[in-house]
Amino acid sequence: MTLKVYINGTLYNKEDAKVSVYDHGFLYGDGVFEGMRSYAGSVFRMKEHLDRLWDSAERIQLEIPMTKEEMSDAVNATLAANEIEDGYIRLVISRGEGTLGLDPNKCPTPNIVIITDFITLYPEEFYQNGLEIVTAKTIRNHPGALDPRIKSLNYLNNILAKIEGLAAVCVETLMLNHQGEVAECTGDNIFIVRDGKLLTPPVEAGVLEGITRGAVMELAAGDGIQVMESRMTLDDVYSAAEVFLTGSAAEIVPVIKVDGNQIGDGIPGLITRRIADLYTQLRVS
Ligand code: PMP
């Protein structure tokens, strides 16, 4: 069966799902998006994703021409049309078709695209044995230049870091902020374990407020694991007992080496495993 893609209220076959080359999402990366997961036919934390999408849109003065309820219905209808139970959803709102200039006011109608697809997971081995990552020379965008809370279509900052990581044969890459502090990875948030406590950089360190990050913080607190937002250095990461990454697509991935430094015993730690188990239970509850 050909996958169907939602564009502005209509479902198109994947090969016919197209938007204009004059769309400012294409020309300038002017737009916002979300990446979500569905488990057993239901979207994980859809409300939180839609809230973040609307918040991102508001921060770039892009008015989404439908309600959150309509969007939620459209996402579910697209999943159903594709008979996808366990999948990945990419929700894109671009500024829309305009002229060859930056002016967003020349783009009267945003384009709304919902792609639902089967998820390509990291190999199981990464979850069992942990991941090796490196730190990029490319720093995360200065928060004063592009607010990290905006999940924008312009991912060049992250892509440049990703290219560095790939050159070191790493599927994820750590990024520092303009102050040299640990921010996040190119598409995942980072947590470390120190003295039995979970620490993750605050949004002010220049990170996206990940939905998975939020879920992990709730799960930890509910399980009696102390969790704190805290600015951290690379040395804090190198000397951590455990390190793991979180993201909608990746879920919870243990990290066992950072820039060649072994983390803890070089195997996924107990708290990481506990959080991963709790997350597995949560996503289908
Ligand atoms: N940071 C960045 C830069 C991201 O793009 C993402 C999402 N892929 C995340 C963190 C994780 O966010 P979430 O848990 O909401 O998927």
Side-chain angles (χ1 to χ4, degrees):
M1 190 179 82
T2 314
L3 280 174
K4 302 253 188 318
V5 177
Y6 172 108
I7 305 179
N8 303 324
T10 305
L11 289 173
Y12 296 88
N13 283 337
K14 182 179 172 178
E15 53 277 11
D16 302 321
K18 293 174 181 151
V19 293
S20 165
V21 293
Y22 282 82
D23 188 302
H24 280 205
F26 176 73
L27 288 173
Y28 301 116
D30 184 356
V32 291
F33 78 101
E34 278 300 318
M36 315 189 268
R37 283 286 290 268
S38 71
Y39 298 103
S42 117
V43 178
F44 182 73
R45 302 231 155 167
M46 172 110 85
K47 182 187 177 305
E48 284 84 347
H49 280 284
L50 294 187
D51 284 348
R52 186 172 68 183
L53 183 69
W54 255 256
D55 181 60
S56 290
E58 206 171 291
R59 287 175 194 278
I60 66 163
Q61 295 181 32
L62 173 63
E63 202 176 317
I64 303 176
M66 61 202 283
T67 64
K68 289 182 189 171
E69 202 180 354
E70 286 165 343
M71 185 68 85
S72 167
D73 290 346
V75 168
N76 286 326
T78 311
L79 277 173
N82 288 304
E83 295 175 19
I84 293 176
E85 296 262 303
D86 295 294
Y88 181 79
I89 302 119
R90 175 59 57 90
L91 187 39
V92 180
I93 320 282
S94 71
R95 187 74 69 179
E97 205 174 318
T99 55
L100 293 178
L102 295 180
D103 188 351
N105 298 325
K106 303 258 168 69
C107 310
T109 326
N111 274 318
I112 300 172
V113 175
I114 304 170
I115 306 167
T116 56
D117 210 331
F118 299 95
I119 176 110
T120 346
L121 296 167
Y122 278 149
E124 181 56 27
E125 183 206 328
F126 293 167
Y127 295 90
Q128 292 305 324
N129 305 329
L131 206 63
E132 185 174 341
I133 60 172
V134 287
T135 307
K137 289 199 181 67
T138 304
I139 61 161
R140 195 79 180 87
N141 280 330
H142 192 296
L146 182 61
D147 188 334
R149 284 171 297 194
I150 302 170
K151 198 162 163 57
S152 95
L153 289 182
N154 195 320
Y155 254 51
L156 210 41
N157 180 222
N158 313 50
I159 290 165
L160 291 175
K162 177 98 185 173
I163 288 170
E164 289 184 51
L166 290 173
V169 203
C170 291
V171 295
E172 216 0 329
T173 316
L174 187 57
M175 300 182 78
L176 306 179
N177 65 17
H178 64 287
Q179 290 167 316
E181 299 162 339
V182 170
E184 61 182 336
C185 286
T186 65
D188 297 299
N189 291 110
I190 186 166
F191 282 82
I192 68 171
V193 175
R194 191 168 65 198
D195 302 329
K197 293 184 194 120
L198 263 186
L199 305 175
T200 192
V203 173
E204 298 73 51
V207 312
L208 180 76
E209 198 165 4
I211 307 296
T212 321
R213 173 184 179 274
V216 163
M217 291 173 83
E218 283 171 29
L219 287 172
D223 200 44
I225 302 168
Q226 205 180 327
V227 52
M228 281 176 349
E229 292 184 302
S230 163
R231 292 184 180 262
M232 61 179 78
T233 64
L234 260 183
D235 277 333
D236 291 327
V237 175
Y238 297 158
S239 61
E242 301 180 31
V243 175
F244 63 86
L245 311 180
T246 65
S248 296
E251 303 182 321
I252 316 292
V253 201
V255 173
I256 47 139
K257 221 179 226 189
V258 182
D259 299 329
N261 299 286
Q262 179 180 300
I263 304 301
D265 300 327
I267 51 166
L270 282 178
I271 294 187
T272 305
R273 288 193 182 280
R274 176 72 184 148
I275 295 289
D277 284 349
L278 290 171
Y279 192 77
T280 307
Q281 289 162 30
L282 175 73
R283 62 187 202 186
V284 289
S285 62

